[in-house]
Amino acid sequence: MSECTHDCSSCGENCASRQPQSLIENPHQLSCVKKIIGVVSGKGGVGKSLITSTMAVTMQRRGYQAAILDADITGPSIPKAFGVKQRAMADQVGMYPVQTKTGIQLMSVNLLLEDETTPVVWRGPIIAGTVKQFWTDVIWNDVDFMFVDMPPGTGDVPLTVFQSIPLDGIIIVTSPQELVSMIVSKAVRMANTMNIPILGLIENYSYIKCPDCSKEIYPFGKSHIEEIANQFQLDILAKLPIDSALAEVCDKGVVELFEGDYMEAVCNKIEQKLK
């Protein structure tokens, strides 16, 4: 056997020192993206897209250039939350994200369809390939923080994002139900297996605040997020209430007008962790 030169292109597959080949894809040559954060959930319906949207809005308000890569190909909701209806454009150089009213850059499959209600009936490899193209073919312009809104679960798309996009970390969104603790554990273990840093947990739908007495009511029962955080030694970034006003601005496509400081502490921690 020849002596190892640490150049894996020159050695055989059975070489003991051979390093696994990275699957990370390069962005478009004209793109500039500084920090990339995946927003993950073990199950659907936990408000992941709402949290992604409000984090991007908060970062944009702080003077950063924010962007959202909507990786939820079969259930895209990001354009709806921002009231964006125009289609993304492309030329021989690449694709261009659509900008929201405050300048947040978006790319979503709904921005490529003539009718936003048209279902995307594609098999897994095509969906995963589309997500990869949103990273490699789109020209992202001087982005400070990109948030990747991923579909729930641990299937093709999360795997593609974890392998192909150089994530600086992920945030796992959960809800208080006891069943969720098991599902969150799967997402945590997948991230650990893929060596993706976990920035922390966000519990959504944690409580409702009574409009008359301001008492906190827990419609889903006792929270289990502390148990999960302790088990995996993770930070709890926030516990968010059920807020009909926030849901309403998303439904109306004006999430950039939302009022409240729900994401301030979260974005503070993101800034600290990703300095």
Side-chain angles (χ1 to χ4, degrees):
M1 181 182 294
S2 60
E3 181 180 356
C4 181
T5 63
H6 301 290
D7 177 6
C8 290
S9 64
S10 67
C11 64
E13 292 183 0
N14 295 325
C15 175
S17 299
R18 185 179 178 89
Q19 299 296 314
Q21 183 178 2
S22 173
L23 299 177
I24 293 293
E25 296 281 351
N26 292 323
H28 192 284
Q29 60 182 355
L30 297 180
S31 287
C32 177
V33 181
K34 296 176 182 175
K35 300 295 182 183
I36 310 170
I37 301 160
V39 185
V40 179
S41 64
K43 65 184 292 295
V46 297
K48 174 178 49 56
S49 296
L50 181 148
I51 287 171
T52 301
S53 300
T54 51
M55 282 194 295
V57 170
T58 302
M59 285 301 192
Q60 192 79 4
R61 288 176 178 176
R62 292 185 176 197
Y64 295 109
Q65 176 60 65
I68 300 177
L69 189 161
D70 188 357
D72 195 349
I73 301 298
T74 59
S77 55
I78 294 297
K80 170 70 174 176
F82 286 90
V84 172
K85 296 185 180 298
Q86 67 264 41
R87 297 181 66 186
M89 304 302 292
D91 57 22
Q92 67 273 18
V93 178
M95 289 193 291
Y96 299 89
V98 172
Q99 289 198 357
T100 70
K101 296 179 180 65
T102 63
I104 297 171
Q105 298 175 37
L106 306 181
M107 179 51 70
S108 171
V109 74
N110 263 14
L111 303 178
L112 304 176
L113 303 175
E114 292 187 9
D115 184 350
E116 64 179 12
T117 64
T118 300
V120 177
V121 188
W122 298 343
R123 294 194 181 275
I126 298 176
I127 293 173
T130 301
V131 171
K132 193 182 296 185
Q133 283 186 290
F134 285 173
W135 171 244
T136 60
D137 295 3
V138 173
I139 301 173
W140 300 97
N141 185 27
D142 291 329
V143 173
D144 295 303
F145 289 95
M146 171 182 284
F147 297 93
V148 182
D149 186 20
M150 288 198 269
T154 55
D156 281 345
V157 171
L159 181 60
T160 295
V161 172
F162 284 4
Q163 290 182 326
S164 304
I165 299 177
L167 296 175
D168 293 284
I170 64 168
I171 292 172
I172 299 176
V173 181
T174 182
S175 59
Q177 296 98 320
E178 185 172 2
L179 172 65
V180 172
S181 62
M182 176 192 69
I183 298 171
V184 171
S185 297
K186 292 179 182 291
V188 170
R189 288 191 166 99
M190 179 181 183
N192 289 339
T193 300
M194 305 292 295
N195 294 317
I196 304 296
I198 302 174
L199 302 179
L201 306 175
I202 294 178
E203 183 177 77
N204 199 19
Y205 309 139
S206 186
Y207 60 90
I208 301 173
K209 186 168 286 190
C210 175
D212 297 322
C213 66
S214 296
K215 179 181 178 180
E216 292 183 359
I217 303 167
Y218 301 92
F220 296 110
K222 179 184 175 183
S223 170
H224 295 273
I225 194 169
E226 284 85 2
E227 300 169 17
I228 302 171
N230 290 335
Q231 179 183 356
F232 295 102
Q233 298 181 324
L234 298 174
D235 291 336
I236 299 173
L237 302 179
K239 291 184 177 182
L240 305 180
I242 299 173
D243 188 337
S244 59
L246 180 53
E248 184 177 0
V249 295
C250 288
D251 290 341
K252 291 182 176 179
V254 290
V255 68
E256 289 163 298
L257 300 181
F258 91 93
E259 298 179 358
D261 59 357
Y262 300 135
M263 289 299 150
E264 293 297 334
V266 176
C267 289
N268 286 341
K269 291 177 181 178
I270 290 173
E271 287 179 322
Q272 293 167 6
K273 288 175 177 286
L274 298 183
K275 280 183 178 178

